[in-house]
Amino acid sequence: MSGLPPHTRLANEIARQFVHKPPAEAATAIANHIKTVWDPRMKRALVACLEAGADGLDPVAALAADQVRATLK
């Protein structure tokens, strides 16, 4: 997993912090963190990863990326 791009690795690390929450709730919390803390370039890279098939992206992180995508348009 160390070969993942930084945006994927970080999103997955954040997702691991929310495994105790239901997926939808976790995704919203992750998306809120990403929207408020991440640099716009990292947000765009995460969304590009999602749009390219979400290779290596945790499923809950992918749900969060979809929520972030909605704010970038």
Short mmCIF file of all heavy atoms in Angstrom, two decimals:
data_model
loop_
_atom_site.label_atom_id
_atom_site.label_comp_id
_atom_site.label_asym_id
_atom_site.label_seq_id
_atom_site.Cartn_x
_atom_site.Cartn_y
_atom_site.Cartn_z
N MET A 1 0.81 -1.18 0.00
CA MET A 1 0.00 0.00 0.00
C MET A 1 0.86 1.26 0.00
O MET A 1 0.38 2.34 -0.28
CB MET A 1 -0.91 0.00 1.22
CG MET A 1 -2.16 0.79 0.96
SD MET A 1 -3.57 -0.01 1.56
CE MET A 1 -4.20 0.83 2.85
N SER A 2 2.12 1.16 0.29
CA SER A 2 2.98 2.34 0.33
C SER A 2 3.20 2.95 -1.05
O SER A 2 3.64 4.07 -1.16
CB SER A 2 4.32 1.98 0.98
OG SER A 2 4.96 0.99 0.19
N GLY A 3 2.88 2.21 -2.12
CA GLY A 3 3.05 2.73 -3.46
C GLY A 3 1.88 3.58 -3.94
O GLY A 3 1.88 4.03 -5.07
N LEU A 4 0.91 3.80 -3.08
CA LEU A 4 -0.26 4.60 -3.47
C LEU A 4 0.09 6.08 -3.53
O LEU A 4 0.94 6.56 -2.77
CB LEU A 4 -1.39 4.40 -2.46
CG LEU A 4 -2.02 3.02 -2.40
CD1 LEU A 4 -3.02 2.94 -1.26
CD2 LEU A 4 -2.69 2.68 -3.72
N PRO A 5 -0.58 6.83 -4.38
CA PRO A 5 -0.38 8.28 -4.42
C PRO A 5 -0.79 8.90 -3.07
O PRO A 5 -1.65 8.35 -2.37
CB PRO A 5 -1.30 8.76 -5.53
CG PRO A 5 -1.71 7.56 -6.29
CD PRO A 5 -1.54 6.38 -5.38
N PRO A 6 -0.22 10.05 -2.73
CA PRO A 6 -0.51 10.65 -1.41
C PRO A 6 -2.00 10.88 -1.14
O PRO A 6 -2.46 10.62 -0.03
CB PRO A 6 0.24 11.99 -1.45
CG PRO A 6 1.32 11.79 -2.46
CD PRO A 6 0.78 10.81 -3.47
N HIS A 7 -2.74 11.34 -2.13
CA HIS A 7 -4.17 11.61 -1.90
C HIS A 7 -4.94 10.33 -1.58
O HIS A 7 -5.82 10.33 -0.73
CB HIS A 7 -4.80 12.35 -3.09
CG HIS A 7 -4.57 11.65 -4.39
ND1 HIS A 7 -3.43 11.83 -5.14
CD2 HIS A 7 -5.33 10.75 -5.06
CE1 HIS A 7 -3.51 11.08 -6.22
NE2 HIS A 7 -4.64 10.41 -6.19
N THR A 8 -4.58 9.24 -2.22
CA THR A 8 -5.24 7.96 -1.96
C THR A 8 -4.84 7.43 -0.60
O THR A 8 -5.69 7.01 0.19
CB THR A 8 -4.88 6.93 -3.06
OG1 THR A 8 -5.27 7.47 -4.32
CG2 THR A 8 -5.57 5.61 -2.83
N ARG A 9 -3.55 7.46 -0.32
CA ARG A 9 -3.05 6.96 0.97
C ARG A 9 -3.68 7.73 2.13
O ARG A 9 -4.16 7.13 3.10
CB ARG A 9 -1.53 7.06 1.02
CG ARG A 9 -0.91 6.52 2.30
CD ARG A 9 0.60 6.66 2.30
NE ARG A 9 1.06 8.00 1.96
CZ ARG A 9 1.08 9.05 2.80
NH1 ARG A 9 0.62 8.91 4.03
NH2 ARG A 9 1.53 10.22 2.41
N LEU A 10 -3.71 9.06 2.02
CA LEU A 10 -4.26 9.87 3.10
C LEU A 10 -5.76 9.65 3.27
O LEU A 10 -6.26 9.56 4.40
CB LEU A 10 -3.96 11.34 2.85
CG LEU A 10 -2.49 11.74 3.00
CD1 LEU A 10 -2.29 13.18 2.54
CD2 LEU A 10 -2.03 11.57 4.43
N ALA A 11 -6.50 9.59 2.18
CA ALA A 11 -7.94 9.33 2.27
C ALA A 11 -8.20 7.98 2.93
O ALA A 11 -9.10 7.85 3.76
CB ALA A 11 -8.58 9.39 0.89
N ASN A 12 -7.41 6.98 2.59
CA ASN A 12 -7.56 5.65 3.19
C ASN A 12 -7.23 5.69 4.68
O ASN A 12 -7.90 5.04 5.49
CB ASN A 12 -6.68 4.63 2.48
CG ASN A 12 -7.18 4.28 1.11
OD1 ASN A 12 -8.31 4.58 0.75
ND2 ASN A 12 -6.34 3.64 0.32
N GLU A 13 -6.20 6.45 5.06
CA GLU A 13 -5.84 6.57 6.48
C GLU A 13 -6.97 7.23 7.26
O GLU A 13 -7.29 6.80 8.37
CB GLU A 13 -4.55 7.36 6.64
CG GLU A 13 -3.32 6.59 6.22
CD GLU A 13 -2.05 7.42 6.29
OE1 GLU A 13 -2.07 8.57 6.81
OE2 GLU A 13 -1.01 6.92 5.82
N ILE A 14 -7.56 8.26 6.70
CA ILE A 14 -8.68 8.92 7.36
C ILE A 14 -9.86 7.94 7.47
O ILE A 14 -10.50 7.86 8.53
CB ILE A 14 -9.09 10.20 6.61
CG1 ILE A 14 -7.95 11.22 6.64
CG2 ILE A 14 -10.35 10.80 7.22
CD1 ILE A 14 -8.12 12.36 5.67
N ALA A 15 -10.14 7.21 6.42
CA ALA A 15 -11.24 6.24 6.44
C ALA A 15 -11.06 5.22 7.55
O ALA A 15 -12.04 4.81 8.19
CB ALA A 15 -11.36 5.55 5.08
N ARG A 16 -9.83 4.80 7.79
CA ARG A 16 -9.57 3.82 8.86
C ARG A 16 -9.95 4.37 10.23
O ARG A 16 -10.26 3.60 11.15
CB ARG A 16 -8.12 3.37 8.84
CG ARG A 16 -7.84 2.33 7.78
CD ARG A 16 -6.51 1.63 7.98
NE ARG A 16 -5.37 2.49 7.76
CZ ARG A 16 -4.85 2.79 6.57
NH1 ARG A 16 -5.37 2.29 5.48
NH2 ARG A 16 -3.80 3.58 6.47
N GLN A 17 -9.94 5.69 10.40
CA GLN A 17 -10.30 6.29 11.67
C GLN A 17 -11.81 6.25 11.93
O GLN A 17 -12.25 6.53 13.05
CB GLN A 17 -9.82 7.74 11.73
CG GLN A 17 -8.33 7.91 11.56
CD GLN A 17 -7.53 7.16 12.59
OE1 GLN A 17 -7.81 7.24 13.79
NE2 GLN A 17 -6.53 6.41 12.14
N PHE A 18 -12.57 5.93 10.90
CA PHE A 18 -14.03 5.95 11.01
C PHE A 18 -14.66 4.58 10.80
O PHE A 18 -15.87 4.50 10.54
CB PHE A 18 -14.61 6.95 10.00
CG PHE A 18 -14.30 8.37 10.36
CD1 PHE A 18 -13.18 9.00 9.84
CD2 PHE A 18 -15.12 9.08 11.23
CE1 PHE A 18 -12.89 10.31 10.17
CE2 PHE A 18 -14.83 10.39 11.57
CZ PHE A 18 -13.72 11.01 11.03
N VAL A 19 -13.90 3.51 10.96
CA VAL A 19 -14.45 2.17 10.72
C VAL A 19 -15.58 1.82 11.69
O VAL A 19 -16.40 0.96 11.38
CB VAL A 19 -13.36 1.07 10.75
CG1 VAL A 19 -12.38 1.24 9.62
CG2 VAL A 19 -12.68 1.02 12.09
N HIS A 20 -15.63 2.49 12.82
CA HIS A 20 -16.67 2.23 13.82
C HIS A 20 -18.00 2.89 13.48
O HIS A 20 -19.01 2.63 14.14
CB HIS A 20 -16.19 2.70 15.20
CG HIS A 20 -15.93 4.17 15.27
ND1 HIS A 20 -14.82 4.75 14.70
CD2 HIS A 20 -16.64 5.18 15.82
CE1 HIS A 20 -14.86 6.06 14.91
NE2 HIS A 20 -15.95 6.34 15.58
N LYS A 21 -18.03 3.73 12.45
CA LYS A 21 -19.24 4.45 12.04
C LYS A 21 -19.89 3.75 10.84
O LYS A 21 -19.22 3.09 10.06
CB LYS A 21 -18.90 5.88 11.63
CG LYS A 21 -18.24 6.70 12.70
CD LYS A 21 -19.26 7.43 13.48
CE LYS A 21 -18.59 8.40 14.46
NZ LYS A 21 -19.51 8.85 15.45
N PRO A 22 -21.19 3.95 10.66
CA PRO A 22 -21.83 3.44 9.44
C PRO A 22 -21.17 4.12 8.22
O PRO A 22 -20.75 5.28 8.31
CB PRO A 22 -23.29 3.87 9.59
CG PRO A 22 -23.48 4.11 11.06
CD PRO A 22 -22.15 4.56 11.57
N PRO A 23 -21.08 3.41 7.10
CA PRO A 23 -20.37 3.95 5.94
C PRO A 23 -20.82 5.34 5.50
O PRO A 23 -19.98 6.20 5.21
CB PRO A 23 -20.63 2.91 4.85
CG PRO A 23 -20.84 1.64 5.59
CD PRO A 23 -21.54 2.04 6.86
N ALA A 24 -22.11 5.60 5.45
CA ALA A 24 -22.58 6.92 4.99
C ALA A 24 -22.15 8.03 5.96
O ALA A 24 -21.73 9.10 5.52
CB ALA A 24 -24.10 6.91 4.83
N GLU A 25 -22.25 7.75 7.24
CA GLU A 25 -21.83 8.73 8.25
C GLU A 25 -20.32 8.96 8.19
O GLU A 25 -19.85 10.10 8.28
CB GLU A 25 -22.25 8.24 9.64
CG GLU A 25 -22.00 9.21 10.75
CD GLU A 25 -22.46 8.68 12.10
OE1 GLU A 25 -23.34 7.80 12.15
OE2 GLU A 25 -21.92 9.15 13.12
N ALA A 26 -19.58 7.88 8.03
CA ALA A 26 -18.13 7.99 7.94
C ALA A 26 -17.73 8.78 6.70
O ALA A 26 -16.86 9.66 6.76
CB ALA A 26 -17.49 6.60 7.91
N ALA A 27 -18.38 8.50 5.58
CA ALA A 27 -18.05 9.20 4.33
C ALA A 27 -18.29 10.70 4.47
O ALA A 27 -17.48 11.51 4.00
CB ALA A 27 -18.87 8.63 3.18
N THR A 28 -19.37 11.08 5.12
CA THR A 28 -19.65 12.50 5.30
C THR A 28 -18.60 13.16 6.19
O THR A 28 -18.13 14.27 5.89
CB THR A 28 -21.07 12.69 5.88
OG1 THR A 28 -22.00 12.19 4.93
CG2 THR A 28 -21.37 14.16 6.16
N ALA A 29 -18.20 12.49 7.25
CA ALA A 29 -17.17 13.04 8.13
C ALA A 29 -15.83 13.18 7.39
O ALA A 29 -15.14 14.19 7.53
CB ALA A 29 -17.01 12.15 9.36
N ILE A 30 -15.49 12.18 6.60
CA ILE A 30 -14.25 12.22 5.83
C ILE A 30 -14.31 13.35 4.80
O ILE A 30 -13.37 14.13 4.66
CB ILE A 30 -14.00 10.86 5.15
CG1 ILE A 30 -13.77 9.78 6.19
CG2 ILE A 30 -12.82 10.95 4.18
CD1 ILE A 30 -13.94 8.36 5.66
N ALA A 31 -15.43 13.44 4.10
CA ALA A 31 -15.58 14.49 3.09
C ALA A 31 -15.49 15.87 3.73
O ALA A 31 -14.84 16.77 3.17
CB ALA A 31 -16.92 14.34 2.36
N ASN A 32 -16.10 16.06 4.88
CA ASN A 32 -16.03 17.36 5.56
C ASN A 32 -14.59 17.71 5.92
O ASN A 32 -14.17 18.85 5.77
CB ASN A 32 -16.92 17.37 6.79
CG ASN A 32 -18.38 17.42 6.45
OD1 ASN A 32 -18.77 17.83 5.35
ND2 ASN A 32 -19.23 16.99 7.37
N HIS A 33 -13.85 16.72 6.39
CA HIS A 33 -12.44 16.95 6.70
C HIS A 33 -11.67 17.35 5.44
O HIS A 33 -10.93 18.34 5.44
CB HIS A 33 -11.82 15.70 7.32
CG HIS A 33 -10.34 15.81 7.47
ND1 HIS A 33 -9.75 16.49 8.51
CD2 HIS A 33 -9.32 15.35 6.70
CE1 HIS A 33 -8.43 16.45 8.36
NE2 HIS A 33 -8.15 15.75 7.28
N ILE A 34 -11.84 16.60 4.38
CA ILE A 34 -11.12 16.87 3.14
C ILE A 34 -11.48 18.25 2.60
O ILE A 34 -10.61 19.02 2.20
CB ILE A 34 -11.41 15.76 2.10
CG1 ILE A 34 -10.74 14.45 2.55
CG2 ILE A 34 -10.94 16.17 0.71
CD1 ILE A 34 -11.15 13.23 1.76
N LYS A 35 -12.78 18.59 2.63
CA LYS A 35 -13.23 19.89 2.09
C LYS A 35 -12.65 21.06 2.87
O LYS A 35 -12.37 22.10 2.28
CB LYS A 35 -14.76 19.96 2.09
CG LYS A 35 -15.40 19.07 1.03
CD LYS A 35 -16.89 19.28 0.94
CE LYS A 35 -17.60 18.41 1.94
NZ LYS A 35 -19.07 18.46 1.79
N THR A 36 -12.45 20.89 4.18
CA THR A 36 -11.98 22.02 4.99
C THR A 36 -10.47 22.07 5.17
O THR A 36 -9.94 23.15 5.40
CB THR A 36 -12.65 22.01 6.38
OG1 THR A 36 -12.36 20.79 7.04
CG2 THR A 36 -14.14 22.19 6.28
N VAL A 37 -9.79 20.94 5.04
CA VAL A 37 -8.37 20.89 5.37
C VAL A 37 -7.46 20.72 4.15
O VAL A 37 -6.39 21.33 4.08
CB VAL A 37 -8.09 19.77 6.40
CG1 VAL A 37 -6.61 19.64 6.70
CG2 VAL A 37 -8.87 20.03 7.69
N TRP A 38 -7.87 19.93 3.20
CA TRP A 38 -6.98 19.60 2.08
C TRP A 38 -6.80 20.77 1.11
O TRP A 38 -7.73 21.54 0.85
CB TRP A 38 -7.52 18.41 1.32
CG TRP A 38 -7.29 17.08 1.97
CD1 TRP A 38 -7.14 16.82 3.31
CD2 TRP A 38 -7.23 15.82 1.32
NE1 TRP A 38 -6.98 15.49 3.52
CE2 TRP A 38 -7.03 14.85 2.31
CE3 TRP A 38 -7.33 15.42 0.01
CZ2 TRP A 38 -6.92 13.49 2.01
CZ3 TRP A 38 -7.22 14.08 -0.30
CH2 TRP A 38 -7.01 13.12 0.71
N ASP A 39 -5.63 20.80 0.54
CA ASP A 39 -5.28 21.73 -0.53
C ASP A 39 -6.14 21.40 -1.76
O ASP A 39 -6.41 20.22 -2.03
CB ASP A 39 -3.79 21.55 -0.84
CG ASP A 39 -3.32 22.42 -1.96
OD1 ASP A 39 -3.42 21.99 -3.13
OD2 ASP A 39 -2.83 23.51 -1.67
N PRO A 40 -6.56 22.42 -2.51
CA PRO A 40 -7.38 22.16 -3.71
C PRO A 40 -6.75 21.17 -4.69
O PRO A 40 -7.48 20.38 -5.31
CB PRO A 40 -7.53 23.54 -4.35
CG PRO A 40 -7.39 24.49 -3.21
CD PRO A 40 -6.40 23.86 -2.28
N ARG A 41 -5.44 21.17 -4.82
CA ARG A 41 -4.80 20.21 -5.74
C ARG A 41 -5.00 18.78 -5.28
O ARG A 41 -5.21 17.88 -6.09
CB ARG A 41 -3.31 20.53 -5.87
CG ARG A 41 -3.04 21.86 -6.56
CD ARG A 41 -1.61 22.26 -6.44
NE ARG A 41 -1.35 22.53 -5.00
CZ ARG A 41 -0.20 22.91 -4.50
NH1 ARG A 41 0.85 23.05 -5.27
NH2 ARG A 41 -0.07 23.15 -3.22
N MET A 42 -4.93 18.57 -3.95
CA MET A 42 -5.15 17.22 -3.42
C MET A 42 -6.60 16.79 -3.62
O MET A 42 -6.88 15.64 -3.94
CB MET A 42 -4.79 17.17 -1.93
CG MET A 42 -3.31 17.29 -1.65
SD MET A 42 -2.42 15.76 -2.00
CE MET A 42 -2.89 14.80 -0.57
N LYS A 43 -7.52 17.73 -3.44
CA LYS A 43 -8.94 17.41 -3.66
C LYS A 43 -9.17 17.00 -5.10
O LYS A 43 -9.85 16.00 -5.38
CB LYS A 43 -9.82 18.62 -3.34
CG LYS A 43 -9.85 19.01 -1.89
CD LYS A 43 -10.69 20.27 -1.73
CE LYS A 43 -10.41 20.98 -0.45
NZ LYS A 43 -11.14 22.26 -0.35
N ARG A 44 -8.61 17.77 -6.03
CA ARG A 44 -8.78 17.44 -7.46
C ARG A 44 -8.14 16.09 -7.79
O ARG A 44 -8.70 15.31 -8.57
CB ARG A 44 -8.20 18.55 -8.33
CG ARG A 44 -9.05 19.80 -8.34
CD ARG A 44 -8.62 20.80 -9.40
NE ARG A 44 -7.26 21.28 -9.24
CZ ARG A 44 -6.90 22.33 -8.48
NH1 ARG A 44 -7.83 23.02 -7.84
NH2 ARG A 44 -5.65 22.70 -8.41
N ALA A 45 -6.98 15.80 -7.19
CA ALA A 45 -6.32 14.52 -7.44
C ALA A 45 -7.16 13.36 -6.91
O ALA A 45 -7.27 12.31 -7.57
CB ALA A 45 -4.92 14.51 -6.81
N LEU A 46 -7.78 13.55 -5.76
CA LEU A 46 -8.63 12.50 -5.19
C LEU A 46 -9.85 12.26 -6.09
O LEU A 46 -10.20 11.12 -6.37
CB LEU A 46 -9.08 12.89 -3.78
CG LEU A 46 -9.98 11.89 -3.07
CD1 LEU A 46 -9.26 10.56 -2.84
CD2 LEU A 46 -10.48 12.47 -1.76
N VAL A 47 -10.47 13.33 -6.54
CA VAL A 47 -11.62 13.20 -7.43
C VAL A 47 -11.22 12.55 -8.75
O VAL A 47 -11.93 11.70 -9.28
CB VAL A 47 -12.31 14.57 -7.63
CG1 VAL A 47 -13.33 14.51 -8.75
CG2 VAL A 47 -12.95 15.03 -6.33
N ALA A 48 -10.05 12.91 -9.27
CA ALA A 48 -9.56 12.29 -10.51
C ALA A 48 -9.35 10.79 -10.30
O ALA A 48 -9.67 9.99 -11.19
CB ALA A 48 -8.27 12.96 -10.96
N CYS A 49 -8.86 10.41 -9.14
CA CYS A 49 -8.68 8.99 -8.82
C CYS A 49 -10.03 8.29 -8.83
O CYS A 49 -10.17 7.21 -9.39
CB CYS A 49 -8.01 8.85 -7.46
SG CYS A 49 -7.92 7.17 -6.83
N LEU A 50 -11.02 8.90 -8.21
CA LEU A 50 -12.37 8.34 -8.19
C LEU A 50 -12.91 8.16 -9.61
O LEU A 50 -13.42 7.10 -9.97
CB LEU A 50 -13.30 9.25 -7.39
CG LEU A 50 -14.77 8.84 -7.35
CD1 LEU A 50 -14.96 7.59 -6.52
CD2 LEU A 50 -15.62 9.98 -6.80
N GLU A 51 -12.75 9.19 -10.41
CA GLU A 51 -13.28 9.15 -11.78
C GLU A 51 -12.53 8.17 -12.67
O GLU A 51 -13.08 7.70 -13.67
CB GLU A 51 -13.26 10.56 -12.37
CG GLU A 51 -14.27 11.47 -11.67
CD GLU A 51 -14.22 12.91 -12.10
OE1 GLU A 51 -13.22 13.34 -12.75
OE2 GLU A 51 -15.17 13.65 -11.78
N ALA A 52 -11.30 7.82 -12.28
CA ALA A 52 -10.52 6.87 -13.06
C ALA A 52 -10.72 5.43 -12.58
O ALA A 52 -10.05 4.52 -13.04
CB ALA A 52 -9.04 7.24 -12.98
N GLY A 53 -11.66 5.24 -11.64
CA GLY A 53 -11.94 3.88 -11.19
C GLY A 53 -11.64 3.61 -9.74
O GLY A 53 -11.81 2.49 -9.26
N ALA A 54 -11.13 4.61 -9.02
CA ALA A 54 -10.87 4.50 -7.57
C ALA A 54 -9.89 3.40 -7.21
O ALA A 54 -10.00 2.78 -6.15
CB ALA A 54 -12.18 4.35 -6.81
N ASP A 55 -8.92 3.16 -8.07
CA ASP A 55 -7.92 2.11 -7.82
C ASP A 55 -7.19 2.37 -6.51
O ASP A 55 -6.58 3.42 -6.32
CB ASP A 55 -6.92 2.06 -8.97
CG ASP A 55 -5.98 0.87 -8.86
OD1 ASP A 55 -6.45 -0.22 -8.46
OD2 ASP A 55 -4.78 1.04 -9.15
N GLY A 56 -7.28 1.41 -5.59
CA GLY A 56 -6.60 1.49 -4.31
C GLY A 56 -7.33 2.31 -3.26
O GLY A 56 -6.87 2.42 -2.13
N LEU A 57 -8.45 2.89 -3.60
CA LEU A 57 -9.19 3.75 -2.68
C LEU A 57 -10.18 2.93 -1.87
O LEU A 57 -10.96 2.15 -2.42
CB LEU A 57 -9.92 4.82 -3.49
CG LEU A 57 -10.43 6.06 -2.76
CD1 LEU A 57 -9.29 6.79 -2.05
CD2 LEU A 57 -11.08 7.00 -3.76
N ASP A 58 -10.13 3.10 -0.56
CA ASP A 58 -11.07 2.44 0.34
C ASP A 58 -12.50 2.79 -0.10
O ASP A 58 -12.76 3.93 -0.50
CB ASP A 58 -10.81 2.96 1.77
CG ASP A 58 -11.76 2.39 2.78
OD1 ASP A 58 -12.89 2.92 2.89
OD2 ASP A 58 -11.39 1.44 3.47
N PRO A 59 -13.44 1.85 -0.04
CA PRO A 59 -14.81 2.13 -0.49
C PRO A 59 -15.46 3.33 0.22
O PRO A 59 -16.17 4.11 -0.41
CB PRO A 59 -15.57 0.84 -0.20
CG PRO A 59 -14.51 -0.22 -0.22
CD PRO A 59 -13.27 0.44 0.31
N VAL A 60 -15.21 3.49 1.51
CA VAL A 60 -15.78 4.62 2.23
C VAL A 60 -15.08 5.91 1.82
O VAL A 60 -15.72 6.96 1.68
CB VAL A 60 -15.72 4.40 3.77
CG1 VAL A 60 -16.20 5.63 4.51
CG2 VAL A 60 -16.59 3.20 4.15
N ALA A 61 -13.78 5.85 1.58
CA ALA A 61 -13.06 7.02 1.08
C ALA A 61 -13.58 7.39 -0.31
O ALA A 61 -13.65 8.58 -0.65
CB ALA A 61 -11.56 6.74 1.04
N ALA A 62 -13.96 6.41 -1.11
CA ALA A 62 -14.53 6.68 -2.42
C ALA A 62 -15.88 7.40 -2.30
O ALA A 62 -16.17 8.32 -3.06
CB ALA A 62 -14.68 5.39 -3.22
N LEU A 63 -16.69 6.99 -1.32
CA LEU A 63 -17.95 7.69 -1.08
C LEU A 63 -17.69 9.15 -0.68
O LEU A 63 -18.38 10.07 -1.13
CB LEU A 63 -18.75 7.00 0.03
CG LEU A 63 -19.34 5.64 -0.27
CD1 LEU A 63 -19.94 5.01 0.99
CD2 LEU A 63 -20.41 5.76 -1.35
N ALA A 64 -16.67 9.34 0.14
CA ALA A 64 -16.30 10.70 0.55
C ALA A 64 -15.81 11.50 -0.64
O ALA A 64 -16.16 12.67 -0.80
CB ALA A 64 -15.22 10.64 1.63
N ALA A 65 -15.01 10.88 -1.49
CA ALA A 65 -14.51 11.57 -2.68
C ALA A 65 -15.65 12.00 -3.59
O ALA A 65 -15.60 13.07 -4.19
CB ALA A 65 -13.53 10.66 -3.43
N ASP A 66 -16.69 11.20 -3.64
CA ASP A 66 -17.86 11.56 -4.44
C ASP A 66 -18.53 12.81 -3.87
O ASP A 66 -18.98 13.68 -4.61
CB ASP A 66 -18.84 10.39 -4.51
CG ASP A 66 -19.93 10.61 -5.53
OD1 ASP A 66 -19.62 11.02 -6.67
OD2 ASP A 66 -21.10 10.41 -5.17
N GLN A 67 -18.59 12.91 -2.56
CA GLN A 67 -19.15 14.11 -1.93
C GLN A 67 -18.27 15.32 -2.18
O GLN A 67 -18.77 16.42 -2.41
CB GLN A 67 -19.32 13.88 -0.43
CG GLN A 67 -20.39 12.87 -0.08
CD GLN A 67 -20.56 12.68 1.40
OE1 GLN A 67 -20.31 13.58 2.20
NE2 GLN A 67 -21.00 11.50 1.79
N VAL A 68 -16.96 15.12 -2.16
CA VAL A 68 -16.03 16.23 -2.44
C VAL A 68 -16.20 16.67 -3.89
O VAL A 68 -16.21 17.87 -4.19
CB VAL A 68 -14.57 15.80 -2.16
CG1 VAL A 68 -13.59 16.84 -2.64
CG2 VAL A 68 -14.38 15.53 -0.66
N ARG A 69 -16.35 15.71 -4.79
CA ARG A 69 -16.52 16.02 -6.20
C ARG A 69 -17.69 16.99 -6.42
O ARG A 69 -17.60 17.92 -7.22
CB ARG A 69 -16.74 14.75 -7.01
CG ARG A 69 -17.07 15.04 -8.46
CD ARG A 69 -17.14 13.81 -9.34
NE ARG A 69 -17.90 12.71 -8.76
CZ ARG A 69 -17.94 11.50 -9.28
NH1 ARG A 69 -17.26 11.22 -10.39
NH2 ARG A 69 -18.63 10.55 -8.72
N ALA A 70 -18.76 16.80 -5.69
CA ALA A 70 -19.95 17.65 -5.84
C ALA A 70 -19.65 19.11 -5.49
O ALA A 70 -20.31 20.01 -6.00
CB ALA A 70 -21.08 17.13 -4.98
N THR A 71 -18.65 19.34 -4.66
CA THR A 71 -18.32 20.72 -4.26
C THR A 71 -17.32 21.38 -5.20
O THR A 71 -17.10 22.58 -5.11
CB THR A 71 -17.77 20.76 -2.82
OG1 THR A 71 -16.51 20.09 -2.78
CG2 THR A 71 -18.73 20.15 -1.85
N LEU A 72 -16.69 20.60 -6.07
CA LEU A 72 -15.67 21.14 -6.97
C LEU A 72 -16.26 21.63 -8.27
O LEU A 72 -15.56 22.27 -9.05
CB LEU A 72 -14.60 20.08 -7.26
CG LEU A 72 -13.75 19.64 -6.07
CD1 LEU A 72 -12.73 18.61 -6.52
CD2 LEU A 72 -13.06 20.83 -5.42
N LYS A 73 -17.50 21.34 -8.55
CA LYS A 73 -18.08 21.72 -9.84
C LYS A 73 -18.82 23.02 -9.77
O LYS A 73 -19.17 23.54 -8.82
CB LYS A 73 -18.99 20.60 -10.32
CG LYS A 73 -18.19 19.33 -10.48
CD LYS A 73 -18.87 18.35 -11.34
CE LYS A 73 -17.94 17.16 -11.47
NZ LYS A 73 -18.04 16.37 -12.55
#
